[in-house]
């Protein structure tokens, strides 16, 4: 297989005392043989080049980071092409243009439950959700930090584990990935 550019998102790091620095992430990724490793902000984002596919990167990097950190570090991955397609498919274009820090992408560790589209977000506030196969686009018009529509609530609806990034981070990771394609 040719080398694959992969976007990796660490789940639940640098919250609740679960500290893992960008330097640790970069060093661990390079130590297991990935190249062109670039982290983005200290919240568990990495773009790298791998000799194998995204699914193997998720497993391999997750195991290595778990050993490094001493706690479970799930990694959700997408290829550069998948990530770019996610960016291009954005259904909340006006919101992303006017208010990109309140537009959030949740990436799931697999396809969401068929019932996820029936989830009633209005019970939690004014958030707008657009479910996709393995992603969720959300607009937190009043800010994610104040919302009752938390990641655990969304995970229950999705039947999956996920991690969220604001739209500015999504675009920055896309740019880093496209530089390596």
């Amino acid at each position: 297989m040719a080398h694959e550019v992969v976007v990796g998102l660490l789940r639940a790091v640098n919250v609740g005392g679960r500290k893992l620095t960008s330097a640790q992430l970069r060093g661990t990724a390079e130590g297991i043989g990935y190249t062109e490793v670039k982290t983005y902000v200290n919240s568990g984002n990495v773009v790298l080049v791998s000799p194998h596919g995204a699914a193997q990167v998720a497993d391999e990097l997750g195991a290595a980071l778990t050993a490094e950190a001493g706690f479970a570090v799930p990694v959700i991955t997408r290829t550069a092409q998948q990530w770019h397609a996610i960016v291009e498919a954005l259904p909340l274009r006006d919101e992303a243009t006017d208010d990109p820090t309140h537009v959030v992408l949740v990436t799931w560790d697999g396809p969401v439950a068929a019932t996820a589209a029936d989830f009633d977000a209005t019970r939690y506030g004014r958030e707008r959700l657009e479910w996709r196969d393995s992603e969720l686009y959300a607009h937190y018009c009043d800010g994610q930090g104040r919302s009752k529509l938390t990641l655990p609530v969304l995970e229950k609806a999705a039947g999956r584990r996920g991690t969220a990034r604001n739209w500015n981070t999504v675009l920055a990771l896309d740019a880093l990935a496209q530089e390596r394609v």
Side-chain angles (χ1 to χ4, degrees):
M1 170 182 216
H3 284 59
E4 183 94 64
V5 177
V6 176
V7 175
L9 307 171
L10 281 56
R11 185 180 179 285
V13 297
N14 300 333
V15 293
R18 296 167 47 96
K19 183 116 176 91
L20 185 73
T21 67
S22 288
Q24 287 175 292
L25 171 54
R26 212 170 23 258
T28 300
E30 289 169 348
I32 55 178
Y34 301 132
T35 60
E36 297 186 53
V37 177
K38 178 74 174 166
T39 58
Y40 179 75
V41 299
N42 200 28
S43 58
N45 306 297
V46 65
V47 176
L48 53 82
V49 177
S50 168
H52 43 261
Q56 190 170 339
V57 171
D59 293 342
E60 195 172 79
L61 185 58
L65 289 168
T66 295
E68 167 74 19
F71 55 82
V73 183
V75 179
I76 296 175
T77 56
R78 300 292 188 270
T79 67
Q81 293 77 11
Q82 289 169 326
W83 194 258
H84 192 68
I86 290 166
V87 169
E88 292 295 311
L90 173 67
L92 306 170
R93 292 203 181 278
D94 290 343
E95 294 87 346
T97 299
D98 297 341
D99 193 17
T101 59
H102 290 144
V103 173
V104 172
L105 174 72
V106 181
T107 54
W108 305 111
D109 61 359
V112 298
T115 57
D118 298 329
F119 176 74
D120 181 12
T122 62
R123 296 177 25 205
Y124 298 90
R126 301 185 314 138
E127 293 82 356
R128 179 171 167 215
L129 304 180
E130 295 286 339
W131 294 90
R132 296 296 189 265
D133 182 48
S134 295
E135 286 80 36
L136 170 69
Y137 300 89
H139 181 233
Y140 285 87
C141 54
D142 298 319
Q144 193 175 8
R146 291 188 277 268
S147 177
K148 293 178 181 158
L149 190 59
T150 61
L151 186 59
V153 169
L154 293 170
E155 286 179 326
K156 186 174 181 182
R160 307 300 296 182
R161 294 185 70 163
T163 189
R165 300 297 186 275
N166 78 42
W167 198 248
N168 287 334
T169 298
V170 170
L171 293 176
L173 293 171
D174 188 47
L176 289 171
Q178 295 309 308
E179 287 172 4
R180 286 157 177 74
V181 173

